[in-house]
């Protein structure tokens, strides 16, 4: 798929309404666009049947990914929601929706649709399995996808994403190769780079700290180095950024991330070229 990494160059750069006065209330577009009262029926399935369904859902999600396979992962998740296994299908449904919504090759309307579905399912997952990291993580990714497609982000959305990822870090900071740290570090530094103080989510030090932590936890994961390199380049820390890009280039391909890994290598190559002579 042509899915890019969340928060890569430009995801939160077009923050619509950012110049609005402090006393103007900016509606939260996710609440305007989507009915978040997710309606579903629980399924009467045995533990063995549910285990097989979860395996099937994960296989549909696995590489090579495509809209058809991701849709089957989502659809099968909806047909497999059960308290018997702790509502495991809910977060898997949100995961599939986020993947579709983040795929730039998909039509805009489809991406909007699945960003909304992902938000709705993840909210329900938070209610049913608040002790798990997945609902918070995929909720934030779905909101991020919505902001990406619309090329704007409200203050409420930005704050909500930070809140969700802080909760994810508290539960399992290692999830998705330190994904919560990677996401939050990029979110904070991107917002700060716009120079919009009314939208500040934290200091640059805080943002860079999350990116450094992702590398400490998973030093072999290329996306962590790439994300840190982007932030360093924006701060004009050219030599440090080059070093992180070189680490990206030599990173091993993670399991089930071959398409993403290739995209990281291509972006790292482009960034290295941009930094030449600086």
């Amino acid at each position: 798929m042509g899915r890019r990494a969340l928060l890569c160059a430009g995801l939160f750069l077009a923050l619509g309404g950012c110049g609005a006065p402090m006393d103007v209330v900016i509606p939260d577009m996710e609440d305007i666009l989507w009915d978040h009262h997710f309606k579903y029926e629980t399924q009467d399935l045995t533990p063995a049947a549910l285990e097989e369904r979860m395996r099937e859902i994960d296989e549909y999600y696995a590489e090579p990914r495509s809209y058809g396979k991701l849709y089957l992962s989502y659809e099968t998740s909806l047909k497999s929601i059960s308290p018997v296994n702790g509502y495991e299908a809910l977060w898997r449904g949100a995961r599939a929706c986020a993947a579709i919504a983040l795929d730039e090759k998909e039509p805009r309307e489809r991406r909007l649709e699945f960003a909304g579905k992902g938000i709705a399912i993840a909210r329900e997952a938070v209610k049913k399995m608040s002790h798990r990291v997945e609902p918070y993580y995929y909720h934030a990714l779905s909101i991020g996808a919505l902001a990406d497609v619309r090329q704007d982000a409200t203050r409420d959305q930005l704050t909500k994403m930070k809140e969700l990822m802080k909760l994810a870090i508290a539960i399992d900071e290692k999830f998705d190769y330190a994904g919560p740290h990677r996401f939050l570090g990029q979110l904070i530094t991107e917002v700060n780079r716009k120079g919009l103080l009314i939208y500040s989510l934290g200091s640059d030090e805080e943002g860079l700290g999350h990116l450094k932590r992702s590398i400490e936890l998973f030093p072999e994961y290329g996306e962590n180095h790439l994300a840190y390199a982007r932030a360093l380049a924006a701060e004009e820390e050219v030599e440090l950024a080059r070093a992180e890009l070189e680490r990206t280039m030599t990173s091993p391909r993670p399991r089930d991330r071959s398409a993403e890994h290739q995209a990281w290598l291509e972006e790292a190559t482009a960034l290295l070229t941009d930094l030449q002579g600086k």
Side-chain angles (χ1 to χ4, degrees):
M1 300 175 61
R3 179 187 174 195
R4 70 179 181 183
L6 183 69
L7 291 172
C8 74
L11 178 52
F12 291 106
L13 301 187
L15 299 176
C18 285
M22 289 291 289
D23 58 346
V24 175
V25 177
I26 304 173
D28 189 335
M29 291 309 299
E30 67 172 279
D31 287 329
I32 292 174
L33 290 173
W34 310 110
D35 175 8
H36 289 295
H37 298 290
F38 176 54
K39 299 176 178 64
Y40 62 94
E41 294 182 1
T42 57
Q43 304 300 308
D44 184 17
L45 297 169
T46 66
L50 284 168
E51 184 177 352
E52 176 61 22
R53 285 282 184 89
M54 299 308 108
R55 184 193 62 76
E56 183 180 350
I57 291 166
D58 291 341
E59 285 186 356
Y60 286 138
Y61 183 79
E63 289 188 323
R65 296 189 182 92
S66 64
Y67 170 70
K69 286 182 61 184
L70 290 171
Y71 184 82
L72 285 172
S73 185
Y74 158 73
E75 189 177 52
T76 307
S77 294
L78 295 188
K79 296 177 181 178
S80 308
I81 300 170
S82 172
V84 173
N85 68 344
Y87 296 93
E88 285 283 334
L90 283 174
W91 72 260
R92 285 176 166 84
R95 177 184 64 180
C97 289
I100 293 170
L102 287 166
D103 188 351
E104 289 186 320
K105 291 184 178 180
E106 293 295 333
R108 182 177 186 274
E109 290 307 311
R110 179 178 290 168
R111 294 181 67 196
L112 281 172
E113 175 188 357
F114 279 92
K117 290 179 184 295
I119 290 168
I121 299 172
R123 280 184 167 180
E124 183 64 18
V126 167
K127 295 176 185 177
K128 297 298 185 182
M129 46 199 317
S130 59
H131 63 293
R132 295 285 295 270
V133 63
E134 296 94 335
Y136 302 102
Y137 188 71
Y138 292 114
H139 190 178
L141 260 63
S142 294
I143 297 173
L146 181 64
D148 187 21
V149 179
R150 294 183 56 82
Q151 284 296 290
D152 65 23
T154 68
R155 185 186 338 212
D156 285 347
Q157 288 171 333
L158 294 170
T159 302
K160 185 65 174 179
M161 283 186 280
K162 179 176 183 179
E163 173 190 314
L164 289 166
M165 283 304 182
K166 293 287 280 187
L167 289 167
I169 287 169
I171 296 170
D172 182 4
E173 65 175 341
K174 296 182 178 180
F175 182 69
D176 193 22
Y177 299 95
H181 283 294
R182 185 172 59 248
F183 183 109
L184 188 50
Q186 291 176 99
L187 179 63
I188 292 171
T189 55
E190 287 285 357
V191 169
N192 286 348
R193 190 160 72 85
K194 290 291 290 183
L196 299 162
L197 298 181
I198 64 171
Y199 271 70
S200 178
L201 297 176
S203 66
D204 285 333
E205 290 75 16
E206 180 183 353
L208 292 171
H210 284 293
L211 295 173
K212 290 178 184 177
R213 181 59 177 161
S214 73
I215 291 172
E216 290 172 2
L217 291 170
F218 292 93
E220 298 299 311
Y221 191 68
E223 188 181 8
N224 292 343
H225 293 286
L226 179 59
Y228 191 31
R230 289 193 205 105
L232 290 170
E235 292 291 318
E236 299 186 352
E237 296 284 356
V238 176
E239 292 305 316
L240 291 175
R242 282 200 189 99
E244 293 302 322
L245 291 171
E246 292 292 347
R247 294 185 179 101
T248 304
M249 297 294 294
T250 58
S251 64
R253 185 184 70 188
R255 177 179 171 273
D256 206 33
R257 300 288 171 90
S258 59
E260 288 89 343
H261 187 254
Q262 182 60 35
W264 306 335
L265 298 183
E266 290 171 2
E267 185 180 348
T269 300
L271 285 173
L272 281 169
T273 300
D274 290 343
L275 292 176
Q276 284 183 357
K278 292 187 178 180

